[in-house]
Amino acid sequence: MADRDPEGLVRRLRDVVGPAGVVTDPGAQASYTRDWLGKWQGRVPVVVRPGNTQETAAVVRLCREAHTPIVPQGGNTGMSGGATPDASGAQVIVSTTRLQQVRAVDPVNNTMTVEAGVVLAQAQDAARGAGRFFPLSLGAEGSCTVGGNLATNAGGIAVLRYGNMRDLVLGLEVVLPDGRIWNGLRGLRKDNTGYDLRGLFVGSEGTLGIITAAVLKLFPQAAARATAWVGAASLEALLALLQQARARCGERLVAFEMMTDAALQLVLRHVADTRAPVAGAPPFHALVELADTEPSGLADALEQVLAGAMDAGLVGEAVIAASQSQAQALWKLREGISQAQVRAGPVVKHDIALPITVLPAFCGEAQAAVARTGLDTQVINFGHLGDGNLHYNVLLPAGLPPDAVKDATARLNRAVHDLVVRHTGSISAEHGVGQLRRDELRHYKSPVEMDLMLAIKRALDPNLIMNPGKLL
Ligand code: FAD
Ligand code: 2HG
Ligand code: ZN
């Protein structure tokens, strides 16, 4: 800790947030200082849990005075190590988990104002309670927070229809690195009064300030949903199906998720109560979902799209969920992939975005590039096909020693990311950079872009106390 009197700082922080707002016992800190994947482990003298925006600002001011870096943390479900402190013991975690208020829901303006520590599923419930729909949805929605979703610009399964978190936010309240509060909680769809400050904080991964509240967009609730699973012989066939579904269903198409058969088999092996949705083992699978505010006609529309695709030879086996529980069983297969990977062994994660046109060529070339490393690997390729976002993950043998995992990670990152950049893609689509991809970012971003980002960082956080070692 840069502060010469860390105990004094902890005492002053306790004075601000009360005894319930500080965690100093290392046992009780364990769930904060380690990430859920078990990749990163940090050490802190204290986890601070302010109860409101004013307390958060006071905490930031105290840390700034004590030259003590802050690691903002929400639900700690991130995939890139952004919320895990370093091992120096010189940083403190500021957890938003007590910022729990749904401050307002306005069904006429179609907005709600929620605090950063509200869990995503609770935000969805609050919208539902007012007869509206908040569309961000992802596997961790039972524990990730709205603040974390904003700070990582989270994506998930409905981006195709509703966009990512950046598209779903109208206003922000942020505690700045100097302890001032920026109140930008405006529920406006039009506001051209200068630079896009809100946009700066979305995706900033805790490096520019602590988001304490947000105004989020709401949408009409769907009256009907139709969900199908299809098997296909190639990625090209799935892309053709995607185009047809879009052309016929328009905005009713809300999700188009892809997984290879290797990914499905991993889930069937490692996740309880799962079974193969279609006969045979087609090399590619897709989970397609339509939703509409009109209660009737949706299943027919889906059936027609699939019948047309079958006639054209695009898909083989297909199944349409006949009930909500069947739909849930299909989603369980898709959402079980992360857990199945954890159980299978060390995995090198690639969260990449490409123009969907180049996905088939990319996948062929990436398979060859991974094979050329000569490593013992299995590619687990899946993702949000409609967004061009693949989780092109590579599984390594269980029990591989940490040094060998590190070496394999560096070689596989280079093999996959070189190809991504050659195809004008992005090396971080939705999980952020954190500490996982920091070196990769520096390797691939142009000097101009790095300069611009560093200039923004220095302007907002000249003392470099917000989440050092992450992103930049
Ligand atoms: P944390 O993990 O606590 O923090 C993430 C980053 O945000 C850190 O850099 C942290 O410093 C910063 N941060 C957190 N809160 C604040 C704040 N209030 N102010 C400033 N900075 C802050 N992500 C997707 O995008 N799409 C998916 O489909 C998806 N699926 C997932 C499935 C599973 C099973 C799991 C475990 C994770 C998944 N994720 C997915 C990743 C993760 O859930 C998201 O990144 C989520 O947005 C992180 O929220 P969090 O509250 O847990 O943030
Ligand atoms: C998903 O799409 C998540 O399921 C997690 O973004 C991806 O486990 C992963 O790599
Ligand atoms: Zn994803």
Side-chain angles (χ1 to χ4, degrees), residues 364-412:
E365 290 166 31
Q367 183 83 46
V370 168
R372 273 197 304 276
T373 64
L375 295 161
D376 181 6
T377 58
Q378 187 189 20
V379 171
I380 303 295
N381 180 14
F382 64 102
H384 317 283
L385 191 68
D387 315 326
N389 175 193
L390 297 181
H391 299 303
Y392 197 89
N393 295 347
V394 187
L395 204 55
L396 299 171
L400 200 66
D403 278 354
V405 172
K406 199 171 164 208
D407 173 63
T409 302
R411 291 164 64 193
L412 289 164

Side-chain angles (χ1 to χ4, degrees), residues 263-288:
L264 175 63
Q265 296 306 326
L266 203 72
V267 174
L268 298 177
R269 211 171 312 136
H270 292 284
V271 181
D273 301 324
T274 52
R275 61 188 191 86
V278 291
F284 293 91
H285 301 258
L287 181 52
V288 185

Side-chain angles (χ1 to χ4, degrees), residues 36 71-79 81-84 94 96 99 116-117 136-141 143-157 201 204-207 209-212 334-335 338-339 351 384 389 391 429-432 434 466-467 470:
W36 74 277
V71 181
Q73 188 179 95
N76 199 15
T77 69
M79 295 262 178
T84 313
V94 176
T96 60
L99 304 179
L136 190 82
S137 178
L138 46 98
E141 64 196 22
S143 35
C144 64
T145 63
V146 167
N149 301 148
L150 286 159
T152 58
N153 186 23
I157 56 173
F201 292 99
S204 63
E205 301 186 44
T207 62
I210 302 180
I211 298 165
T212 46
R334 166 63 184 88
E335 295 195 327
S338 287
Q339 198 54 257
D351 167 39
H384 317 283
N389 175 193
H391 299 303
E430 59 172 7
H431 294 163
M466 293 305 306
N467 220 359
K470 314 292 168 46

Side-chain angles (χ1 to χ4, degrees), residues 86-128:
D86 67 18
S88 67
Q91 307 183 330
V92 303
I93 293 172
V94 176
S95 164
T96 60
T97 43
R98 284 175 70 217
L99 304 179
Q100 281 284 353
Q101 301 293 318
V102 175
R103 293 189 191 167
V105 183
D106 181 345
V108 178
N109 196 42
N110 276 312
T111 51
M112 65 179 175
T113 306
V114 300
E115 294 188 346
V118 171
V119 168
L120 174 57
Q122 288 164 359
Q124 295 164 345
D125 286 348
R128 198 176 302 117

Side-chain angles (χ1 to χ4, degrees), residues 142-180:
S143 35
C144 64
T145 63
V146 167
N149 301 148
L150 286 159
T152 58
N153 186 23
I157 56 173
V159 173
L160 182 62
R161 162 71 179 85
Y162 296 99
N164 46 29
M165 197 58 173
R166 188 182 296 285
D167 302 303
L168 298 173
V169 59
L170 292 174
L172 286 183
E173 179 187 82
V174 182
V175 172
L176 302 171
D178 61 8
R180 283 181 301 163

